[in-house]
Amino acid sequence: MQITEKNFGNGYQLITIKNEAGFQLSVTDLGARIVSLGREKNLVLGFDSAQEYLEKDVFIGASIGRTAGRIENGRFTLDGESYHVTTDSTTGHSLHGGQPGFETKKWHYTIENGDDEASVIFTTVSPDNEHGFPGNLSVEVRHTLTKENTWRITTKGLSDRTTLFNPTNHVYFNLTGDVTQSVAQHKLWLNSPAFAPLRQDSIPTGKKVKTSGTAFDFQKTKTLADVFTSDFEQKNLVNGIDHPFFLTENNLVAPAAKLTSPDDTIELVVSTDLPCIVIFTANFGEAALEMHGKPLADHGGITFETQIAPGAEQFSDFGSIKLAANEPFETITNYQIHLKEVKNHGNQS
C-alpha cells in the first residue's frame, strides 16, 4: 500500500492511501474526515482545501460527535442527573454534540501500513464538560483502505465519567463523480423495515413507522427519483430524505445498504454493527455549495451515517447512547466499492 502526506492548508494535512489496483482513500486531520475515495473519479463529496471546509460546510465527510443528530432543547437525564448542553441559536436544539465539535478539531494521527490494508488512526480528547457533556472522553477514529477497495471506519471511545456517546461519519456519496449531477438516478436497496418520522423541527417523533407502502420503502431496489417525485408527507417536510432507518440486521456480514450508480458500473455495499443508518439526500435546494469549482446539485449526494438512532436519549425504543464510565466503546462500518464493467450488450461482468 502506498501512502503519501501533503499540506492541506491552514496547518492541516491530507493523507492518501493507494492500493495496488490504484484505488485511493484520502483523509485529513481536520475533523478526522474523508476527503476522497475512488480510482478514476471521486465517489464522495469533498473540498480541495481545509479552508473550504471551514468556510463552506464543516460537516461534509467529518467524524461527528459526541452525539450525532439533534438532542431536543439540549436536555437529557443521565443516572438521575439533568444536563443542559450547548444548543444551536437558530433551532434551540443541540446538533452533532455542539459546535465547534469533532468536525473542526485538529486530530493527532499515526499511520499503519501493511500488505493487505493500511490505516490512518486519528485520536482526540473531548474534555470534561465540553459543551456541557460529562467526562473526559478519549476518541479514536481509524480510517482503513483494503486491497479489496473497502473503506473501513473503526471508532472507539472511553470516558472517565458516564456520558452520552453516539458517533458517526458524515460522508456523502455520489457515484457519478460529478457534483453537478443529482443522485436521483442512483438505485438504493436498504435492509430496513422501519424509519423514524420527524417533526417540523427535524426532531424524531419517537415512533417507528413501517416503510412498507411508503416512499421510504427500499426493501426492493428502486431509484431515489421515486422518492423525490413522490408526494409523501415526510419527503415534503425536508425536500427529500433526512431520516433514521432501523436495520433488520446489524453485523458486518449482512449488507445494510446497497447503492448503485446510474450506469450500473459502481456499487457501494454498506455493512455495520450499528442498528441504524441516517440517510440524508443533500437537500440543499438551489442555494448550492461550490465544490471543485462547480455548483453542487440539489440532491447532489447521499449519506449513510451509521449510528444509534437520534432521539435515543429520550426514546428507549431507539436504543441507548449511554456510555458507562471506563467502559470501552467500539463500532465498525464497512463501505465496499465494487467496480464493474458494462459490456456492449449491456450485461455486467
Side-chain angles (χ1 to χ4, degrees), residues 270-295:
V270 183
S271 58
T272 184
D273 57 10
L274 289 164
C276 169
I277 295 180
V278 172
I279 292 182
F280 175 53
T281 50
N283 315 317
F284 297 136
E286 298 306 314
L289 299 164
E290 187 177 278
M291 193 170 281
H292 313 306
K294 300 176 181 178

Side-chain angles (χ1 to χ4, degrees), residues 42-89:
N42 186 6
L43 305 178
V44 303
L45 300 189
F47 296 112
D48 297 322
S49 67
Q51 186 65 29
E52 285 190 86
Y53 284 102
L54 295 169
E55 290 179 350
K56 295 178 179 179
D57 192 321
V58 293
F59 294 128
I60 289 179
S63 293
I64 300 296
R66 294 185 182 196
T67 54
R70 294 166 178 82
I71 296 177
E72 185 175 6
N73 300 321
R75 296 185 182 277
F76 61 89
T77 301
L78 197 57
D79 291 346
E81 187 172 347
S82 296
Y83 293 89
H84 186 200
V85 296
T86 303
T87 56
D88 178 74
S89 59

Side-chain angles (χ1 to χ4, degrees), residues 97-282:
Q99 282 73 60
F102 285 10
E103 72 284 346
T104 53
K105 287 181 182 289
K106 182 181 174 75
W107 294 58
H108 176 74
Y109 72 90
T110 56
I111 295 170
E112 290 183 3
N113 199 356
D115 294 334
D116 296 333
E117 64 182 44
S119 301
V120 182
I121 305 100
F122 294 104
T123 55
T124 194
V125 174
S126 175
D128 182 39
N129 203 41
E130 183 171 33
H131 298 303
F133 288 91
N136 293 292
L137 176 68
S138 299
V139 184
E140 176 186 296
V141 176
R142 175 186 291 255
H143 290 270
T144 301
L145 179 67
T146 74
K147 64 179 183 180
E148 292 88 11
N149 301 344
T150 294
W151 163 44
R152 182 170 66 243
I153 302 180
T154 306
T155 304
K156 298 180 181 181
L158 186 67
S159 176
D160 61 1
R161 293 176 60 193
T162 297
T163 190
L164 297 186
F165 190 43
N166 189 22
T168 193
N169 182 277
H170 210 308
V171 63
Y172 290 80
F173 289 91
N174 184 323
L175 301 185
T176 70
D178 183 354
V179 301
T180 68
Q181 299 296 310
S182 163
V183 295
Q185 296 308 314
H186 284 55
K187 293 172 278 290
L188 177 63
W189 172 85
L190 194 59
N191 193 10
S192 172
F195 75 99
L198 306 178
R199 305 185 324 204
Q200 193 72 37
D201 60 359
S202 295
I203 296 290
T205 64
K207 297 179 180 178
K208 290 183 177 181
V209 173
K210 290 183 178 180
T211 57
S212 297
T214 76
F216 286 179
D217 186 2
F218 295 100
Q219 294 174 101
K220 292 183 178 180
T221 304
K222 66 181 182 183
T223 65
L224 288 163
D226 290 351
V227 175
F228 299 152
T229 58
S230 75
D231 196 34
F232 185 45
E233 180 184 7
Q234 283 290 306
K235 185 277 292 188
N236 293 339
L237 183 69
V238 294
N239 183 37
I241 309 173
D242 190 10
H243 293 74
F245 288 81
F246 301 95
L247 299 174
T248 302
E249 298 177 84
N250 52 302
N251 57 64
L252 298 175
V253 178
K258 295 181 181 179
L259 183 72
T260 308
S261 64
D263 63 2
D264 295 322
T265 62
I266 301 173
E267 181 187 58
L268 164 70
V269 179
V270 183
S271 58
T272 184
D273 57 10
L274 289 164
C276 169
I277 295 180
V278 172
I279 292 182
F280 175 53
T281 50

Side-chain angles (χ1 to χ4, degrees), residues 321-334:
I321 60 173
K322 176 182 174 180
L323 178 62
N326 303 309
E327 180 178 298
F329 171 97
E330 180 175 353
T331 179
I332 299 174
T333 295
N334 289 323

